[in-house]
Amino acid sequence: MSTLFHKIALVARRNSPNIGGPLRKLAELLRQHECSSIILDTETAASHPVPDALVVPPEQVGKVADLVIVLGGDGTMLSIARLVAPYRIPLVGINQGRLGFMTDVGVDDIDAVIPRILDGDFVPEERMLLSAKVIRDEREVHSALAFNDVVFSRGSLGSMIEFEVFIDDQFVYSQRSDGLIVSTPTGSTAYALASGGPILHPTVPAIALVPICPQTMTARPIAVNDSATIEFMLTRGSEVKVHFDGHSHFDLREMDRVTIKRYRNSLRILHPIGYNYYDMLRHKLHWGERLF
């Protein structure tokens, strides 16, 4: 039996002992499907070793694999997405528990769904990422990718921060708030949604800017074209941080600038046949259900 993909990496959620069985089951299925190489990142291999698997650091997965299968949840998908995005490697998400926003294959459906995907029977979807750079005294001091969002947040002292926002070098507004979320369509169902932002379909070429608890009620979320360059400048605040997908952060100083734009590569997610984005939203957000 032939397969469309031959070098397949398996990435599992950390500290999840129940994932070992499904992972080994998946590895055996890949061998039956003539997969020439099964790859584990070092963190997955440490918890769930697979015989004869090639073990590489997480940042090397994109160099050696032609498909990544994630076992766990959306958080695991986020962590590996930024690492493989430079290599345009597609991802498949297997959710151990409830249906995820990105990991939409149930663990009980591995036998039925994964062979079909390996044979090319899938629904591909391109997701955008954000590229962010921190500029201090006219020098780049930090850079990072984000699949969900770039978030600016106040420090532990609790006081609001003050900042200015520019889009394509045009001044948009100054704001005093708890922070700002700059979100991709993928991230629109995460922190941005909890902060009152719009849900953006993954195919919408837009970036959302969502204020976090602004001082004025007239501060509203806006969506801009995905070709725009967004600049955030911190004018007042202490212990302010910029977060990237909630997985990493950088400490900002007053007058630091952060430029954000769409990353040059998109990330391809492979869904099973029959995938429907609105079905997923209806399930996750309980649309149409009685509240009492």
Side-chain angles (χ1 to χ4, degrees), residues 1-270:
M1 187 179 297
S2 62
T3 177
L4 185 63
F5 306 99
H6 297 281
K7 297 178 292 183
I8 301 177
L10 305 180
V11 176
R13 180 167 53 194
R14 299 181 189 175
N15 304 318
S16 182
N18 295 331
I19 211 77
L23 186 141
R24 289 187 289 272
K25 174 183 178 181
L26 180 56
E28 181 58 31
L29 186 150
L30 296 180
R31 290 193 178 97
Q32 294 173 5
H33 237 72
E34 298 183 2
C35 172
S36 62
S37 180
I38 295 175
I39 303 157
L40 302 181
D41 68 286
T42 50
E43 295 175 358
T44 298
S47 301
H48 312 291
V50 172
D52 302 321
L54 173 65
V55 179
V56 300
E59 60 272 14
Q60 297 294 316
V61 167
K63 290 184 177 181
V64 297
D66 51 28
L67 174 69
V68 177
I69 301 179
V70 177
L71 296 94
D74 288 350
T76 312
M77 185 80 99
L78 284 173
S79 66
I80 195 65
R82 298 188 305 277
L83 298 178
V84 303
Y87 306 97
R88 295 190 56 83
I89 304 301
L91 275 73
V92 174
I94 298 176
N95 198 293
Q96 186 183 13
R98 295 171 296 175
L99 178 72
F101 283 105
M102 291 176 283
T103 50
D104 51 13
V105 178
V107 70
D108 295 331
D109 298 324
I110 289 175
D111 286 335
V113 173
I114 296 302
R116 295 186 63 183
I117 289 178
L118 296 179
D119 291 336
D121 202 9
F122 52 73
V123 177
E125 186 175 61
E126 300 291 333
R127 300 283 185 106
M128 67 177 284
L129 296 93
L130 298 175
S131 173
K133 296 180 180 180
V134 181
I135 309 298
R136 176 175 297 160
D137 298 328
E138 304 305 321
R139 294 187 302 109
E140 180 183 322
V141 294
H142 188 72
S143 64
L145 296 180
F147 189 30
N148 260 358
D149 47 40
V150 178
V151 177
F152 303 90
S153 67
R154 66 181 186 179
S156 59
L157 296 178
S159 58
M160 288 185 171
I161 64 175
E162 298 178 16
F163 56 89
E164 295 180 352
V165 172
F166 301 81
I167 297 175
D168 292 332
D169 296 323
Q170 297 182 2
F171 177 70
V172 179
Y173 54 64
S174 57
Q175 188 177 112
R176 191 168 187 263
S177 67
D178 283 356
L180 179 72
I181 303 167
V182 181
S183 171
T184 66
T186 298
S188 70
T189 53
Y191 192 10
L193 179 62
S195 299
I199 294 176
L200 301 177
H201 190 279
T203 60
V204 174
I207 301 170
L209 282 71
V210 182
I212 305 172
C213 299
Q215 186 182 46
T216 171
M217 293 297 292
T218 59
R220 292 305 195 195
I222 62 172
V224 301
N225 193 286
D226 68 340
S227 64
T229 298
I230 299 160
E231 182 177 300
F232 171 101
M233 184 172 70
L234 178 65
T235 54
R236 186 175 182 181
S238 59
E239 298 185 7
V240 180
K241 300 180 185 296
V242 54
H243 302 262
F244 310 98
D245 285 343
H247 283 257
S248 64
H249 69 270
F250 186 81
D251 295 326
L252 296 179
R253 301 177 186 172
E254 291 183 356
M255 305 313 296
D256 279 355
R257 294 180 291 116
V258 183
T259 61
I260 304 168
K261 60 177 63 177
R262 179 171 183 162
Y263 183 55
R264 64 179 184 273
N265 291 344
S266 58
L267 186 76
R268 171 171 280 202
I269 298 178
L270 307 183

